[in-house]
Amino acid sequence: MGVKGFAGGLIALGVVLGLYGWRAWNPVAFVGLALAVVGAVVLATWRRGPGEGT
């Protein structure tokens, strides 16, 4: 699993937890939001290494 897959998984998990927490009035919605933000930051700051092509 690469960085893009990891970040995508974080975003997907964050969205699922956010929706579940919002519907259940549960504080886990904030955890989901935080995971989605972390995933977006990882995607935004990801850079290829020297051996990964163009």
Side-chain angles (χ1 to χ4, degrees):
M1 174 187 288
V3 174
K4 285 185 178 181
F6 178 71
L10 279 179
I11 293 171
L13 182 63
V15 168
V16 168
L17 287 176
L19 289 174
Y20 169 74
W22 177 68
R23 289 193 38 90
W25 288 94
N26 195 324
V28 78
F30 295 108
V31 174
L33 178 63
L35 283 177
V37 168
V38 167
V41 167
V42 168
L43 272 180
T45 60
W46 173 74
R47 296 184 185 189
R48 292 178 185 241
E52 293 188 32
T54 59

